[in-house]
């Protein structure tokens, strides 16, 4: 979850995965990396404490299963805390991660110039697993994705599959010495 801010998207992704695998969650090696450049936002994300209004889309069952209700607030439970790894990482300057299955980048690119957005899209293509990596963007971010790097999965939703091969090799050479594995 690039540009995770206070962590809602990252914890939502963890809940989604946990709901899919059910009681076998501990048998899976699921990790959600939640990153942002803003240390203050990350401090909130690390606490995992939310007001009820932030959880309005969750069912009562999900709220009970994944949160502890304490003093009018909801605290992320320990199971989800183990899945979500929160850290400072500035996608505009820091070395990219590699071989990710999914990148969710919502509202993190709208402040960048068009040229920088395109560079970040290329880095996302590099960061994702070739052919099996997916990118989820915000609908409001009107960014032109290279047809050489991404293919839409559903025309009405900003969900794309990585199709880059040659580009990945070219970008890997550029970032080879500073890759975070």
């Amino acid at each position: 979850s690039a540009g995770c801010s206070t962590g809602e998207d990252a914890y939502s992704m963890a809940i989604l995965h946990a709901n899919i695998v059910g009681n076998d969650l501990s048998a899976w090696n699921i990790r959600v990396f939640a990153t942002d450049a803003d240390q203050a936002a990350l401090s909130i994300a690390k606490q995992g404490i939310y007001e009820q209004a932030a959880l309005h889309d969750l069912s009562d069952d999900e709220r009970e299963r994944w949160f502890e209700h304490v003093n009018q607030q909801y605290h992320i439970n320990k199971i989800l805390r183990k899945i979500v790894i929160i850290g400072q990482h500035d996608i505009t300057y820091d070395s990219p991660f590699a071989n990710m299955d999914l990148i969710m980048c919502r509202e993190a690119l709208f402040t960048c110039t068009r040229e920088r957005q395109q560079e970040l899209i290329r880095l996302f293509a590099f960061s994702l697993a070739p052919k099996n990596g997916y990118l989820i963007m915000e609908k409001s971010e009107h960014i032109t994705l290279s047809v050489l790097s991404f293919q839409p999965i559903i025309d009405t939703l900003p969900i794309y599959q990585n199709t880059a091969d040659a580009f990945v090799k070219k970008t890997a050479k550029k970032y080879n010495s500073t890759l975070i594995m």
Side-chain angles (χ1 to χ4, degrees):
S1 180
C4 74
S5 186
T6 55
E8 287 93 336
D9 283 348
Y11 287 119
S12 294
M13 187 60 65
I15 289 170
L16 175 67
H17 281 83
N19 285 340
I20 290 170
V21 299
N23 294 332
D24 293 333
L25 184 60
S26 62
W28 291 80
N29 185 21
I30 298 171
R31 296 291 178 261
V32 176
F33 296 99
T35 65
D36 202 291
D38 183 349
Q39 190 59 45
L42 290 174
S43 293
I44 294 169
K46 288 177 182 178
Q47 292 176 28
I49 300 172
Y50 299 99
E51 300 296 325
Q52 184 171 355
L55 309 179
H56 68 277
D57 286 338
L58 293 178
S59 68
D60 291 340
D61 180 53
E62 287 175 318
R63 259 193 305 276
E64 287 179 26
R65 184 173 183 195
W66 304 118
F67 294 85
E68 297 173 22
H69 190 213
V70 179
N71 298 329
Q72 305 300 317
Q73 294 177 321
Y74 289 84
H75 298 234
I76 297 287
N77 74 12
K78 290 178 184 177
I79 295 169
L80 292 182
R81 284 181 179 275
K82 289 181 182 179
I83 293 173
V84 178
I85 299 167
I86 298 169
Q88 191 168 18
H89 183 261
D90 186 336
I91 61 172
T92 61
Y93 299 105
D94 294 335
S95 298
F97 290 89
N99 206 31
M100 305 297 289
D101 296 313
L102 173 77
I103 294 176
M104 182 167 42
C105 185
R106 296 173 19 117
E107 300 182 17
L109 301 182
F110 69 93
T111 60
C112 298
T113 65
R114 183 174 176 83
E115 293 79 24
R116 188 64 183 144
Q117 288 174 351
Q118 291 302 310
E119 176 66 17
L120 290 170
I121 294 299
R122 286 191 289 278
L123 288 175
F124 290 160
F126 166 75
S127 295
L128 287 166
K131 304 282 184 187
N132 294 314
Y134 295 89
L135 174 64
I136 298 175
M137 302 289 291
E138 176 68 34
K139 280 186 177 183
S140 64
E141 289 186 313
H142 300 289
I143 296 168
T144 304
L145 297 176
S146 169
V147 294
L148 299 175
S149 299
F150 292 98
Q151 172 182 333
I153 299 299
I154 302 170
D155 290 333
T156 57
L157 296 174
I159 302 173
Y160 307 92
Q161 182 175 8
N162 189 17
T163 59
D165 267 336
F167 170 78
V168 169
K169 292 174 185 168
K170 180 179 174 186
T171 304
K173 289 179 185 176
K174 180 178 178 182
Y175 288 97
N176 193 32
S177 62
T178 57
L179 282 182
I180 299 172
M181 298 292 207

